[in-house]
Amino acid sequence: MKSPKLLQMIALAGGLFMAASPVLAAVQVTQGPTALVTAEQSAPASSPPIGLYKFSLSQSANETLLSVGVNISPAASSTLPASHLSSVSLYKAAGPSFNPATDTLIGSQNSINLSGLTTIPVNAPTIPSGACVVTLFGKLFNVTPLQTGHPGGNIFVCGTDMTTTYQGQHGTDLTRMNPYAIFMPGEIGASTSPTTYFLAISTGAGWSGVSPADAFTTTLPINAITTSANSPSTTIAATAKIFAVAPIPTAPALVSAVAKNTGSTPAKEPGDSIELTFSQSTNKPVINAANLMNNLTVNNGHTLLDSGGNLGATSWNSSGTVLTLTLSGNASNTVASIVPGDTISLATTTDIIDSISSLKATGSSMLTGDFGQTTPTALNDCANGILNNRIYQLQNTTSFFVSYNCELYPISRKQLRKIRSKKLRTPVVIGSLRGLNVVTDAEVEIKQRGNGSRAVLVVKIEKHDTEDENENEDRHSLTASLGLNLRLNTRQADQNAQRGENENRENGRRKDD
């Protein structure tokens, strides 16, 4: 917080202290105000500063500029909200034309008033903390370095006007004091060197050309300019309309399709979903089983409908850029046949259009992600894609399998019904058996042990192997992780081993004969 004495010095520098310049005070408008927007022009959202007005001032008694006011009004037919404008700013000119990169920003207002005057205050001088500041001819100087380096000693009385003392020693030439001058944003030049200012405005991120397009005009009233004393009167100036450009309509494009495991088990099932993302907002039409084929298609002979022609719930996000489709199915109807790797495309008859015109959505996207069945542990991940210790179903069939050692063993629906746990009996659906080893020369018995989270599958496999090289494998007790225990029928294995020994003994007897 500035000290009262320092605030007094700023006031003195602003022209409230007139002892050093006893002439009649007057602030003159030497040029303008002139409107810089004389014909309607467009502006983008989040625009750089747009020059509105230019004016020049001079002073004769150290008056300073305090603020400038402007009226900003929505143009006819526009419903422009104030939030769509970012700020109104005041610049001290570096040249004859407005250039925010080289002109000096001396004030800004972010609170825009669309029903009255918007006032842009000039920034106060930046005073270094603890500095020794004096006033000379209405200007501020930081003389802290001179307190120890001044040839005449430390004669400075901080926080006072020392114009008389300075003038008695050095006259009115302040050249030697320029290195110690404090920049005063509101300083106005003398009549021999007037100061030029620019008033500018910037649009905000919400600035929009969607009908009714944002648009406004501005007026600089006669009482627009306020100085520390003797504020001048100005002529009224007004700009032409500044407006937002209506966006060029473009068709929404399907940019991604992602499978989501939103069901209750790690398998494709009713309740899983697919998220379709579009490049821009859409009209968010209702998508259901009746009109699905008119809007979305799937390749490879697959579909988004279950075997009964049903589709689960569908929904759009608020902006109409994401469509979520939920898969359906029940005991009578098999879940939709679509799988990751399929391609979803927009039909030419789609009802999905952009939000401001009637351009139909286009494009296609391969379904990525998964429905939960493709996230095995490293232990159960086979090179052929099989996940060990799971129940599998061949798509669009009633063929079921249990997996072990990267092979599939057929099981019946009757056997599957013995498994009470939905989590254990829900199959991983596969589209083809191509490239997989299906073991058909074995008998499989499955049953559930335990309930709830402690439920496990117990599977007995009886292989019909008679060759000696399979004896060790047949005797091996197969135990799977993740709760699927595969155990060999040891009695049948012993019988196989005894049969092999008898055959060896008979072969030996024939040799002896």
Side-chain angles (χ1 to χ4, degrees):
M1 183 175 179
K2 295 180 174 64
S3 67
K5 196 169 188 180
L6 189 54
L7 291 174
Q8 182 185 25
M9 291 306 305
I10 295 175
L12 291 175
L16 297 181
F17 181 79
M18 303 295 177
S21 303
V23 298
L24 182 63
V27 175
Q28 301 292 331
V29 179
T30 61
Q31 180 184 15
T34 303
L36 300 180
V37 180
T38 56
E40 292 187 3
Q41 72 175 56
S42 63
S46 302
S47 70
I50 302 166
L52 298 176
Y53 299 99
K54 175 182 179 180
F55 60 91
S56 299
L57 302 177
S58 67
Q59 54 78 27
S60 58
N62 299 322
E63 295 95 340
T64 58
L65 179 62
L66 297 184
S67 66
V68 176
V70 62
N71 290 316
I72 304 170
S73 305
S77 76
S78 175
T79 57
L80 172 72
S83 61
H84 286 191
L85 297 175
S86 175
S87 63
V88 186
S89 304
L90 186 62
Y91 289 82
K92 185 173 286 189
S97 300
F98 176 55
N99 184 348
T102 55
D103 297 334
T104 302
L105 177 66
I106 62 171
S108 186
Q109 178 60 268
N110 298 323
S111 180
I112 310 297
N113 183 3
L114 295 181
S115 59
L117 195 70
T118 296
T119 301
I120 304 91
V122 174
N123 299 332
T126 301
I127 307 297
S129 178
C132 180
V133 178
V134 299
T135 301
L136 301 177
F137 300 100
K139 298 182 179 181
L140 297 179
F141 295 88
N142 178 7
V143 295
T144 304
L146 295 176
Q147 287 182 296
T148 56
H150 184 245
N154 185 9
I155 63 171
F156 305 100
V157 181
C158 305
T160 65
D161 187 315
M162 298 189 66
T163 302
T164 301
T165 302
Y166 182 89
Q167 188 172 9
Q169 295 293 322
H170 307 291
T172 59
D173 183 5
L174 289 174
T175 303
R176 69 180 66 223
M177 296 301 294
N178 285 343
Y180 312 103
I182 294 174
F183 173 68
M184 297 180 64
E187 182 179 0
I188 301 173
S191 59
T192 56
S193 57
T195 302
T196 299
Y197 302 91
F198 292 107
L199 191 65
I201 193 168
S202 299
T203 63
W207 177 259
S208 172
V210 176
S211 182
D214 289 340
F216 66 89
T217 58
T218 71
T219 303
L220 204 68
I222 58 174
N223 60 343
I225 299 172
T226 302
T227 56
S228 58
N230 309 305
S231 297
S233 293
T234 62
T235 56
I236 295 177
T239 63
K241 182 171 69 174
I242 297 174
F243 61 92
V245 177
I248 299 174
T250 57
L254 179 62
V255 295
S256 70
V258 182
K260 299 285 187 176
N261 179 28
T262 50
S264 58
T265 70
K268 186 175 71 172
E269 62 186 327
D272 284 340
S273 58
I274 295 174
E275 284 188 0
L276 303 180
T277 301
F278 294 84
S279 59
Q280 65 187 63
S281 297
T282 68
N283 62 331
K284 302 188 289 186
V286 174
I287 303 296
N288 52 38
N291 64 21
L292 180 67
M293 299 302 292
N294 292 330
N295 287 282
L296 299 166
T297 63
V298 183
N299 68 345
N300 296 329
H302 293 166
T303 178
L304 289 160
L305 302 175
D306 66 22
S307 59
N310 304 306
L311 178 66
T314 66
S315 63
W316 289 92
N317 68 346
S318 59
S319 62
T321 57
V322 178
L323 172 62
T324 301
L325 307 172
T326 303
L327 304 186
S328 63
N330 51 42
S332 302
N333 298 317
T334 305
V335 71
S337 57
I338 187 170
V339 293
D342 287 345
T343 296
I344 299 176
S345 302
L346 271 297
T348 57
T349 55
T350 184
D351 298 319
I352 303 172
I353 60 176
D354 69 292
S355 59
I356 60 174
S357 68
S358 58
L359 295 177
K360 293 181 179 295
T362 61
S364 60
S365 179
M366 185 179 74
L367 182 63
T368 60
D370 65 78
F371 296 113
Q373 72 268 39
T374 56
T375 55
T377 61
L379 177 64
N380 290 333
D381 195 359
C382 301
N384 60 6
I386 287 295
L387 311 181
N388 284 323
N389 315 327
R390 302 287 179 91
I391 300 297
Y392 278 81
Q393 179 185 7
L394 181 60
Q395 184 171 295
N396 298 327
T397 73
T398 56
S399 298
F400 294 90
F401 308 86
V402 64
S403 59
Y404 174 75
N405 199 25
C406 300
E407 296 177 324
L408 299 180
Y409 295 82
I411 57 175
S412 67
R413 296 190 69 174
K414 181 178 180 181
Q415 288 175 296
L416 190 60
R417 282 195 290 270
K418 294 181 180 180
I419 308 304
R420 301 183 302 277
S421 169
K422 181 180 178 181
K423 180 177 180 180
L424 292 179
R425 73 169 181 266
T426 300
V428 177
V429 179
I430 53 177
S432 171
L433 295 176
R434 186 180 298 116
L436 304 178
N437 186 24
V438 179
V439 180
T440 58
D441 58 341
E443 294 182 6
V444 180
E445 180 183 349
I446 61 174
K447 61 181 179 179
Q448 179 177 328
R449 176 185 296 164
N451 294 296
S453 61
R454 301 176 65 86
V456 296
L457 287 179
V458 176
V459 181
K460 292 182 180 180
I461 298 178
E462 184 177 332
K463 284 190 175 182
H464 304 305
D465 295 331
T466 57
E467 298 181 12
D468 293 344
E469 62 184 15
N470 293 324
E471 288 182 10
N472 290 335
E473 180 180 359
D474 288 345
R475 289 179 177 277
H476 184 61
S477 178
L478 309 178
T479 303
S481 61
L482 301 179
L484 182 60
N485 301 320
L486 302 177
R487 302 190 304 190
L488 182 65
N489 187 321
T490 55
R491 184 179 63 180
Q492 183 62 47
D494 290 339
Q495 291 174 354
N496 291 344
Q498 183 62 48
R499 186 163 52 249
E501 291 176 3
N502 291 340
E503 290 175 356
N504 289 339
R505 190 178 300 111
E506 180 62 26
N507 290 336
R509 187 182 301 113
R510 288 175 183 171
K511 257 185 190 181
D512 294 338
D513 293 340

